[in-house]
Structures are given as C-alpha cells and as structure tokens.
Amino acid sequence: MIGNWNTTAARTLRSLRGTSAPMTYTLIAVCCLIFVLGPVSGLTPSYGTGEALAAAQRAYFRHWGVVPADLFDGPAREALTPATALFVHGSWVHLLGNMLFLFVFGAMTEERMGRVQFTLFYIGCGYLALLGYAAANATSQQSLVGASGAISAVLGAFLYLFPSARVTSLLPFLFFLPLRFPAWVVLPFWAALQWLALNQASSGPGVAYLAHLVGFGLGFGYAWVRYRKKKGAKRGPGRAVVGDGRATKVRSAPAPAPEGENQP
C-alpha cells in the first residue's frame, strides 16, 4: 500500500516537473484536495450529517476564512487568514468554477512569469484582494473564503500580457453560442460586470465583488510595472506571442466563480 502510494506520488511529481506550468496545476490540486477533505464536500463522514455537519461547516469557514472584524481586532493568527482562505471554497460550484478559470488563464501567465514569481504573485495578490475587501467591511462578522481574488489577479495580468489572445466565450443571452473575442474585449467586460454587481450587491451573505475588482487591478498593475519594457521589445502591436511567435489561443471558460460566499 505504502509502496503504491510512493510510486504514485513520484509519478505525479515527475509529471508536474515536465509541464510548463507546474505551479498552476499544483494550486488546483491543493484546492481540490482541501475541499474534498473538508466538511463542505459531503465526502467525509466524520463531520456527521444534518445540524452537526452545518455546525462543522460554520466552524471550518470561521477558522480558515477571513472574518473582517476579527482580522483587525482579534488575535495575531488572524493575519494569516487572507492566505489560508485562498485554499478554501464554499461549494462544489464555487470550487469548480474557480479551478476552471485558474486552469485556463493560469498556465500561460505562469509560463510568462516563471514558477516562483507566479506563485508569489498569486498568493500575494490574493492576500491583498481579501485584505482590501476586509478593510472595506471592517465590522463584518461574516467569513470570506475562496481563491477568486487571486484568480482575478491572474486575469488582470493575463489582460496586460496577452491582450490579443483569442478567448472563446459562451454568452447566455446569445443561447450559449461559442464566440471568439480578444482578451482585451472579454476581460474588461468581465471587470465591468463585477463593478455593476458590486453597486447592486446587498451587505448580507453573497459574493465579494470588491475582492474581484481589487485582485484584477492588482494583477494588471503588477504586470504593467513588471513587464512594460520587456513587452515592447518582444512583441509587436496587436499580436500575442508565446515562444515560437504564433498567435496565442486559450480555451473557453465561463465567468469566474463567486468569491467565497460570505458565510453566515
């Protein structure tokens, strides 16, 4: 049994080392593993059922998620929660939506930034996105979980690094017809939707749209500061270039999943 586990782990590590974006896939794997082992997945019998399961979920979110009131007026360990919350999700839909977007946009961004820089960028921007939301809602007792702040930063960086990359989008109001648009059309449109939703959102449990916008702005700003000189030297206008100079294409994806349902 142990031998089989060691063999499987070794093969997984070799596979990750052989990819061009190992940290993207590692982050996806870690988020999925944490979710499956936690009380929200419904796959771990030890958390019980009914009210016992609901209580376990509330305690889980409060311990690992960001509670703004505790973050600014609580014990020192609360300062770590904007980092731990990045790996906790509130539902299967929340998890799968976020991981799909990380899979689609994270790999190319990691290839451009490099493994170490991408990992620090992802965690740092995700931390600041949740911190920004908490600062704007400093008295809230609701817990906040999810990787959407970090993934929104990836979208912002992707927009700057690959503005002409063609993104296949499925639009509900056009009967989900697959349409291809450049990133400079799709991603600002997504950001505009987050802004509109933020202005209409209530103060109760729901989606933390502000964390999306903070993450998106941080990601775009970081890429602009870090790569603005190199970008002009390596690629001409109106064309995203990766490696051999071919125009970049990315897979289809829906809008990013909600930022960690504020838990009651």
Side-chain angles (χ1 to χ4, degrees):
M1 181 71 175
I2 296 177
N4 291 338
W5 169 255
N6 289 337
T7 300
T8 301
R11 288 176 179 173
T12 301
L13 290 174
R14 285 197 299 270
S15 175
L16 288 173
R17 285 196 296 266
T19 67
S20 58
M23 294 312 303
T24 296
Y25 305 131
T26 299
L27 289 168
I28 292 172
V30 170
C31 286
C32 290
L33 179 62
I34 289 174
F35 182 81
V36 168
L37 295 178
V40 185
S41 68
L43 301 178
T44 308
S46 60
Y47 289 107
T49 58
E51 183 54 37
L53 178 59
Q57 292 174 353
R58 289 192 294 269
Y60 182 75
F61 290 132
R62 191 164 189 89
H63 182 76
W64 297 110
V66 180
V67 180
D70 294 343
L71 180 62
F72 297 110
D73 192 24
R77 70 159 295 276
E78 294 295 329
L80 296 176
T81 56
T84 59
L86 295 176
F87 300 93
V88 179
H89 289 83
S91 67
W92 280 101
V93 172
H94 186 208
L95 171 73
L96 296 177
N98 271 346
M99 295 306 100
L100 173 61
F101 248 65
L102 181 56
F103 174 74
V104 170
F105 293 99
M108 287 176 60
T109 306
E110 181 183 347
E111 288 175 13
R112 182 68 178 86
M113 290 185 175
R115 300 173 185 178
V116 174
Q117 185 178 162
F118 174 79
T119 304
L120 294 176
F121 162 81
Y122 179 90
I123 295 175
C125 288
Y127 185 102
L128 292 175
L130 297 186
L131 185 64
Y133 175 88
N137 300 272
T139 61
S140 175
Q141 292 286 343
Q142 296 170 347
S143 57
L144 177 70
V145 296
S148 297
I151 296 171
S152 296
V154 172
L155 298 184
F158 187 96
L159 173 60
Y160 182 81
L161 296 172
F162 310 107
S164 298
R166 309 295 291 185
V167 180
T168 302
S169 304
L170 303 177
L171 303 178
F173 57 84
L174 293 179
F175 305 101
F176 294 97
L177 293 175
L179 301 175
R180 291 168 55 77
F181 300 100
W184 65 265
V185 172
V186 175
L187 296 181
F189 177 72
W190 171 82
L193 291 178
Q194 307 308 298
W195 175 260
L196 292 174
L198 172 64
N199 292 327
Q200 297 176 1
S202 65
S203 60
V207 180
Y209 295 107
L210 179 60
H212 293 180
L213 292 169
V214 172
F216 188 82
L218 287 171
F220 186 89
Y222 174 84
W224 179 75
V225 171
R226 178 69 175 81
Y227 296 101
R228 61 186 179 190
K229 294 181 179 179
K230 295 181 179 180
K231 185 178 178 183
K234 291 188 176 182
R235 52 177 286 250
R239 187 175 178 83
V241 175
V242 177
D244 59 2
R246 293 177 295 180
T248 304
K249 298 179 181 179
V250 298
R251 282 169 262 212
S252 60
E259 174 59 43
E261 300 128 15
N262 296 320
Q263 300 297 330

